Amino acid sequence: MMDLRVSRKTVQQGTFEKLKDAILAGVFQPGERLVEANLCEQLGVSRASLREALRSLQSERLIDFIPNRGPQIPVLSWKEAEDIYDLRALLEGEAAARCASAIGDDDIGSLSATVQTLRRVVKTNNSADKLKCATAFYDVLLHNCGNEMIKQTLNGLHARINFLRARSMSLPGRTKASYEEMNALYLAIKDRDPKAARKIAQQHVQNAREAAREAFKEGQRDNQA
């Protein structure tokens, strides 16, 4: 079971980070209500610190506030997920192509480091670390795409993209396949090959879509059981 207790840095920031990691790791399920009293006890924080963290989570669209119910984990429909994957394929393909043309040597090194970290993390069962590696990779890619609107649009979808990543990576073998795809994308960018980078990035999104579809189906079967 994930340890939710907060170590002291700033309590509010620690509370936010712990809850965010737990949500993305699937500790709380879509549609689940977040009971403040229970969370305060689990996290070892005051209600004021918890509520500040919940507001931050709402701003990232990781939770919804429902009238007469309070905070809960959003329910993402498969249609909404498909729309996100369609947009990701277009924008991440373009971002990858632009990155391959513009990236500097230092950031090539940063991409390499994230891919190597993901290779090691693949051997573990730490979902949060897998998501952090993928996020770090795309942070470098978007930083070097040279188009602020692409970057802002994808960053605005960040929480929902990570939620879908968590779903797709939950399937057996998907994390290993994702590593191989991201490594191929890194190599295309390293070779300064925009055409290959676009194709690999779009195929990576398509493969993630299919994995997420299977995860959604499994979730529906579990709910009906």
Side-chain angles (χ1 to χ4, degrees), residues 12-204:
Q12 289 178 357
Q13 182 64 22
T15 304
F16 165 73
E17 290 175 1
K18 280 284 188 178
L19 283 174
K20 181 175 181 178
D21 287 346
I23 291 168
L24 294 177
V27 172
F28 306 107
Q29 296 302 305
E32 182 176 347
R33 183 185 171 206
L34 301 179
V35 180
E36 289 188 6
N38 294 345
L39 290 177
C40 287
E41 182 178 353
Q42 288 178 288
L43 293 159
V45 299
S46 69
R47 187 155 290 194
S49 295
L50 175 66
R51 287 178 174 171
E52 186 64 33
L54 291 174
R55 281 192 287 270
S56 296
L57 291 167
Q58 183 187 28
S59 72
E60 292 203 10
R61 305 185 73 171
L62 282 170
I63 65 171
D64 291 332
F65 278 89
I66 308 300
N68 303 317
R69 280 184 57 85
Q72 74 173 40
I73 305 300
V75 178
L76 188 67
S77 71
W78 179 244
K79 175 62 171 66
E80 290 170 319
E82 281 194 311
D83 289 346
I84 291 171
Y85 280 116
D86 286 343
L87 188 57
R88 277 189 63 194
L90 288 170
L91 296 184
E92 289 182 15
E94 180 66 17
R98 288 170 174 262
C99 179
S101 298
I103 193 169
D105 291 341
D106 287 348
D107 281 334
I108 287 286
S110 297
L111 278 183
S112 176
T114 61
V115 169
Q116 293 308 310
T117 300
L118 181 59
R119 181 177 63 83
R120 293 191 295 271
V121 168
V122 164
K123 300 174 184 178
T124 75
N125 290 319
N126 192 316
S127 299
D129 283 349
K130 294 173 188 177
L131 289 172
K132 285 177 181 177
C133 287
T135 298
F137 181 91
Y138 279 97
D139 282 348
V140 177
L141 188 152
L142 292 176
H143 178 70
N144 286 276
C145 79
N147 187 307
E148 194 63 26
M149 292 307 298
I150 290 177
K151 181 179 177 181
Q152 288 180 15
T153 301
L154 287 172
N155 281 341
L157 293 171
H158 177 79
R160 283 171 289 175
I161 286 172
N162 267 354
F163 178 77
L164 292 169
R165 261 190 202 125
R167 281 287 187 94
S168 65
M169 285 185 172
S170 69
L171 288 184
R174 177 57 200 160
T175 302
K176 183 175 184 294
S178 183
Y179 156 72
E180 292 170 352
E181 292 158 15
M182 290 171 68
N183 186 55
L185 178 54
Y186 155 69
L187 292 174
I189 292 172
K190 180 183 176 184
D191 290 341
R192 321 287 186 181
D193 188 339
K195 184 176 180 180
R198 184 193 303 275
K199 182 177 179 180
I200 293 167
Q202 291 177 335
Q203 187 60 54
H204 174 62

